[in-house]
Amino acid sequence: MFLCGGLSEAQEAGENIQKICDNVKPDVQKKAGKNYEVFTAVLYETQVVAGTNYYIKVHVGGENYVHLRVFENLPCYGGGLELSDMQQSKSYNDPIEPF
């Protein structure tokens, strides 16, 4: 059952989610103060608000992961992607939770 404002079930990240990550990677690196050679989307959940929040688990090398919250504006407001927030020092087993 879909709940507006609630998170979807975790899904494997595909090409479209990787494109979102590639788009915000410069902002992520700036915020983290690091350059990531590995930056691979693994899992994601979505939250429908006045647009869409993507909560994405990204592998950044070794045993290291980050969680991203990326907002995609509605097309009627120009679309566009924005890194809203990120969490560092995550592992593969850490669940994706709203932040």
Side-chain angles (χ1 to χ4, degrees), residues 10-13 17 41-45 55-58 92 96:
Q11 303 172 58
E12 286 190 30
I17 300 302
V42 179
L43 296 170
Y44 76 101
E45 296 179 8
Y55 292 88
I56 308 168
K57 179 186 299 280
V58 180
Y92 180 80
I96 300 172

Side-chain angles (χ1 to χ4, degrees), residues 43-88:
L43 296 170
Y44 76 101
E45 296 179 8
T46 58
Q47 178 185 39
V48 176
V49 288
T52 303
N53 280 320
Y54 291 90
Y55 292 88
I56 308 168
K57 179 186 299 280
V58 180
H59 181 229
V60 292
E63 299 293 316
N64 301 310
Y65 293 80
V66 295
H67 289 181
L68 309 179
R69 184 175 76 220
V70 179
F71 179 70
E72 182 177 36
N73 212 339
L74 292 169
C76 60
Y77 296 116
L81 298 167
E82 173 187 328
L83 176 66
S84 300
D85 203 357
M86 69 179 289
Q87 295 178 330
Q88 299 183 66

